[in-house]
């Protein structure tokens, strides 16, 4: 259970492009649970910093933006989510590799992580929460009864990311995406605060050669559903 209010929480952590977002949306829909895309909060903070001309290494100012984000998540058909920042639809903007790279830098700032911590925990509401991120099981919801660490090879994740971009009508180069993924992995795994790693009690799922349906089956089995 969540340490905050005894609401059931499933955490799915892992590196970018491992399929966390898709699996989390499918699980949340199956169970009728709430969904937290924690990565979106860091992407939104990075985008807000860019829009307001705040340097990403200005930790204090970026943390203020994070604490006061004017954001809405609006459910759409087919399990999609519309993201509104300061009254503007930024659903596509926050999914670019450009913003993903900035989000990784922002996520390494301790003050920013602290500013977003309580906001993330507030998502734990009945009947349950599926939490997607990089430190959901290790920091945000340490007492969650079910934790998954979903990963895949960098090459496979680059291919998946390119496919996601194309499906959204965005351009991408697989070699550049692979390079950015490797750099982001290094940054996420080596940061001093909440580094990317499996929780000690997490089930590690290596999905390089698995379909989304196979991963979903593993998660639902782990949940006992």
């Amino acid at each position: 259970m969540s340490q905050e209010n005894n609401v059931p929480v499933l955490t799915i952590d892992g590196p970018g492009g491992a399929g966390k977002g898709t699996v989390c949306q499918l699980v949340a829909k199956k169970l009728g649970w709430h969904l937290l895309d924690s990565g979106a909060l860091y992407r939104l903070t990075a985008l807000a910093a860019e829009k307001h001309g705040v340097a990403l290494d200005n930790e204090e100012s970026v943390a203020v933006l994070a604490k006061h984000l004017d954001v809405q998540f609006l459910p759409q058909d087919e399990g999609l989510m519309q993201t509104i920042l300061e009254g503007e639809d930024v659903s596509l903007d926050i999914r670019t590799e450009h913003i993903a790279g900035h989000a990784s830098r922002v996520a390494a700032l301790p003050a920013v992580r602290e500013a977003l911590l309580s906001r993330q925990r507030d998502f734990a509401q009945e009947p349950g929460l599926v939490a997607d991120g990089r430190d959901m099981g290790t920091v945000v919801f340490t007492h969650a009864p079910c934790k998954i660490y979903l990963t895949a090879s960098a090459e496979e994740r680059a291919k998946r990311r390119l496919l996601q971009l194309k499906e959204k009508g965005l351009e991408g180069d697989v070699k550049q995406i692979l390079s950015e993924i490797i750099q982001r992995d290094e940054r996420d795994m080596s940061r001093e605060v909440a580094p990317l790693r499996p929780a000690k009690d997490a089930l590690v799922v290596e999905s390089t050669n698995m379909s989304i349906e196979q991963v979903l089956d593993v998660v639902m089995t782990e949940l006992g559903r």
Side-chain angles (χ1 to χ4, degrees), residues 126-146:
E126 294 288 356
L129 175 68
V130 180
D132 163 4
R134 284 169 169 72
D135 65 345
M136 296 295 97
T138 56
V139 175
V140 183
F141 299 107
T142 56
H143 297 304
C146 188

Side-chain angles (χ1 to χ4, degrees), residues 1-2 7-13 24 27 31 33 129-132 136-138 141-149 199-205 215-225:
M1 299 295 178
S2 156
V7 172
V9 175
L10 162 68
T11 66
I12 301 186
D13 290 316
C24 284
V27 173
L31 298 177
W33 286 10
L129 175 68
V130 180
D132 163 4
M136 296 295 97
T138 56
F141 299 107
T142 56
H143 297 304
C146 188
K147 300 177 183 178
I148 304 291
Y149 185 87
K200 292 180 180 179
D201 52 347
L203 172 67
V204 178
V205 179
V215 175
L216 179 61
D217 285 344
V218 170
V219 174
M220 296 304 291
T221 298
E222 185 71 5
L223 278 168
R225 305 280 178 141

Side-chain angles (χ1 to χ4, degrees), residues 26 31 53 77 98 116-118 134 148 156 164 170 197:
L26 290 171
L31 298 177
D77 293 335
H98 169 71
L116 291 176
L117 184 59
S118 61
R134 284 169 169 72
I148 304 291
E156 176 63 21
Q164 287 177 338
L170 302 172
R197 68 177 192 275

Side-chain angles (χ1 to χ4, degrees), residues 53-159:
V54 175
L56 296 183
D57 58 358
N58 186 338
E59 183 171 354
E60 183 178 351
S61 295
V62 177
V64 170
L65 284 176
K67 188 173 183 178
H68 300 286
L69 275 180
D70 176 10
V71 60
Q72 290 177 286
F73 295 108
L74 305 177
Q76 304 295 301
D77 293 335
E78 300 178 1
L80 300 177
M81 191 76 74
Q82 185 181 30
T83 306
I84 308 295
L85 176 65
E86 298 173 5
E88 180 184 354
D89 186 345
V90 295
S91 305
L92 291 180
D93 297 332
I94 64 170
R95 297 303 168 187
T96 64
E97 288 302 298
H98 169 71
I99 290 299
H102 285 352
S104 181
R105 291 177 60 190
V106 163
L109 302 175
V112 173
R113 302 196 73 85
E114 182 63 30
L116 291 176
L117 184 59
S118 61
R119 295 193 71 162
Q120 293 175 90
R121 286 179 174 160
D122 287 343
F123 276 82
Q125 299 178 15
E126 294 288 356
L129 175 68
V130 180
D132 163 4
R134 284 169 169 72
D135 65 345
M136 296 295 97
T138 56
V139 175
V140 183
F141 299 107
T142 56
H143 297 304
C146 188
K147 300 177 183 178
I148 304 291
Y149 185 87
L150 184 61
T151 188
S153 70
E155 291 75 16
E156 176 63 21
R157 288 186 281 130
K159 293 176 186 176

